[in-house]
Amino acid sequence: MNAVTDSPRAMVSISAGRAITIFAGFLVAGLIALVYANYQRDIQQARRRISLGSQMVVTACGQIEYADTGNGPPLLVVHGAGGGFDQGLDFAKPLVQGGFRVIAMSRFGSLRTPLPADASPAAQADAFACLLDTLEIRRAAVFGLSAGAPSAMQFALRHPERTAALVLLVPAAYPTSQEQRAEGAMPKQTSALTKFLFDIALKSDFLFWAVPRLAPKVAFEALLATPAEVVEKASANERSRATEVLDHLLPFSQRRLGILNDASITPSLPRYELEQIEAPTLILGTADDLYGTHEGASYSAAHIPHARFIGYASGGHLLVGRYEAAIAEIMPFLGVYAQ
C-alpha cells in the first residue's frame, strides 16, 4: 500500500477535490442554462414585438412593410441603420401624441421588406413614393434618421411636389472638410471595435444580446455612437430610452441585409444637389456624435436654401439628454410646414 496516495487522508482529499470539481461543473452548467434561458425569453419577446403593429403592402416598387398610426398631417418616418418600422415608431412616438399621422416603414432589407437588386438611396426614395401612392397620400413631411437621411434627401430631390417638409436627425450626409470632399467619403469615425462588434452581431443574435449585458458602456459607444458618460449622467427616463433603443435592435439578424446595404452606401456618399431641395428643412445634430455626423449635418443645412440647423454640444448619436429639446423644435416646425 502506498503510504502517500493510498492513505485514508489522501483518499478523502481526492474525493473532496472531485466533489468540488463536480459541483463547479454543475454550477457553470446552471449559469449557462440561466443565461441561455434569459436570452431565449428576450429574443422571443423581440420577435413578438416586431410581429405586431405593422403590415405588408404590395406597391409598384415591390413589397414594403409599414406601420400607420395617429391622426393628422402625414409624416413619413425613415429609420436608421439597424432599424425598421419599430425604430421609426419609437422615435416618432411624441409626434403621434402631438397630432401627426406617422407612417413608419421598414427600408430595403430591414425586417420584412425585401432587399432588391437596386437598393440605392434614390431607389429607396422612389419606394417611399410608391408607398404613399398605395396609401393614397399625395404629400407628406419626411423625417429621416441617421442612415435614413440619404434616402429622405433623395425623396425631397426626386419628388419635390410631394415633400411638405424635411427633418433630418443626426444625418448620414456628405462631409465638409476639403480632404473629405476630395475623397468623396464620409468621415471615417467608425472604430475597429465598432466594426468588430457589428461583425459579431451580424453573425449571432445571441452575441449581440450578450454584449450590452456584459459591457454596456462599450455597447453604447461602439454600437450607438453615444459617449457612455453622457448616458451615465442623463436622467432615469433618458437612460431608459437609450437602453430601449439598444434592446430594440433585436432581433439583429432580421435587419442584417439592410445594415449591410447601409454599410455599403454611407462611407461613400456623393454630394447631393442640396441647393435644389425646395422643402423647408430642419436639421439637428450633436458635436459628440461618435459617428461624426455633426459636420455633414451643418454642411447640408448651409447649402439647402430653406434650412435651419440646430447643433447640440452633447448627446451623442441618440441625443441623450437632448431628445425632449429636439422634439420641442421639431413639433412646431412640422406644425407650420407639414399641413
Side-chain angles (χ1 to χ4, degrees):
M1 184 177 195
N2 190 305
V4 177
T5 59
D6 294 337
S7 69
R9 181 177 297 177
M11 294 297 291
V12 170
S13 177
I14 292 171
S15 297
R18 287 176 178 172
I20 291 172
T21 300
I22 293 171
F23 176 76
F26 276 116
L27 182 61
V28 170
L31 289 174
I32 291 173
L34 179 61
V35 168
Y36 190 71
N38 287 337
Y39 162 70
Q40 284 294 333
R41 178 200 62 206
D42 291 349
I43 195 66
Q44 292 302 325
Q45 287 178 350
R47 288 170 180 159
R48 282 194 297 271
R49 181 177 57 79
I50 64 168
S51 71
L52 303 172
S54 71
Q55 52 192 310
M56 296 294 295
V57 65
V58 178
T59 75
C61 299
Q63 292 185 325
I64 296 176
E65 179 184 30
Y66 76 100
D68 187 346
T69 184
N71 296 292
L75 173 65
L76 179 68
V77 179
V78 185
H79 66 80
F85 79 90
D86 55 337
Q87 186 185 90
L89 290 179
D90 285 345
F91 273 85
K93 189 181 301 181
L95 300 175
V96 173
Q97 296 168 350
F100 292 92
R101 175 187 177 185
V102 167
I103 299 97
M105 39 78 64
S106 298
R107 292 191 291 118
F108 291 154
S110 298
L111 299 182
R112 292 193 292 165
T113 299
L115 182 73
D118 180 5
S120 65
Q124 292 181 53
D126 290 344
F128 302 164
C130 288
L131 175 60
L132 294 180
D133 285 343
T134 303
L135 298 178
E136 299 182 346
I137 297 173
R138 184 187 65 84
R139 196 163 179 260
V142 182
F143 185 4
L145 308 168
S146 187
S151 51
M153 286 190 279
Q154 280 293 321
F155 184 85
L157 286 166
R158 296 169 72 84
H159 305 279
E161 74 287 351
R162 307 192 69 170
T163 311
L166 178 65
V167 176
L168 303 175
L169 190 66
V170 289
Y174 185 76
T176 61
S177 75
Q178 194 65 38
E179 179 183 357
Q180 289 161 355
R181 290 182 210 174
E183 294 177 353
M186 289 187 64
K188 292 179 173 57
Q189 298 290 334
T190 306
S191 68
L193 177 60
T194 299
K195 292 176 182 177
F196 174 72
L197 289 178
F198 266 103
D199 286 344
I200 288 176
L202 288 170
K203 295 174 183 176
S204 168
D205 276 335
F206 173 74
L207 292 174
F208 180 82
W209 172 87
V211 168
R213 286 153 181 82
L214 294 174
K217 293 181 181 180
V218 172
F220 281 121
E221 294 193 351
L223 298 176
L224 296 180
T226 300
E229 62 269 20
V230 170
V231 179
E232 289 174 351
K233 294 177 181 178
S235 67
N237 285 341
E238 277 293 85
R239 291 196 303 272
S240 176
R241 184 179 69 86
T243 300
E244 182 179 76
V245 172
L246 194 58
D247 287 343
H248 284 191
L249 294 177
L250 284 171
F252 209 71
S253 58
Q254 291 180 240
R255 311 170 198 270
R256 178 177 180 274
L257 295 179
I259 294 167
L260 291 174
N261 186 58
D262 285 336
S264 71
I265 290 171
T266 54
S268 56
L269 282 172
R271 186 190 188 282
Y272 295 155
E273 296 177 351
L274 302 174
E275 292 79 7
Q276 301 303 312
I277 293 179
E278 300 174 0
T281 301
L282 177 64
I283 304 179
L284 304 95
T286 61
D288 64 347
D289 183 343
L290 300 181
Y291 284 152
T293 64
H294 187 265
E295 291 186 18
S298 175
Y299 178 86
S300 297
H303 291 81
I304 295 174
H306 307 291
R308 178 187 172 207
F309 175 65
I310 299 173
Y312 299 107
S314 65
H317 199 62
L318 293 182
L319 283 89
V320 173
R322 309 288 187 175
Y323 182 63
E324 290 185 2
I327 292 296
E329 297 285 355
I330 293 169
M331 193 85 73
F333 172 80
L334 291 175
V336 172
Y337 296 110
Q339 304 300 324

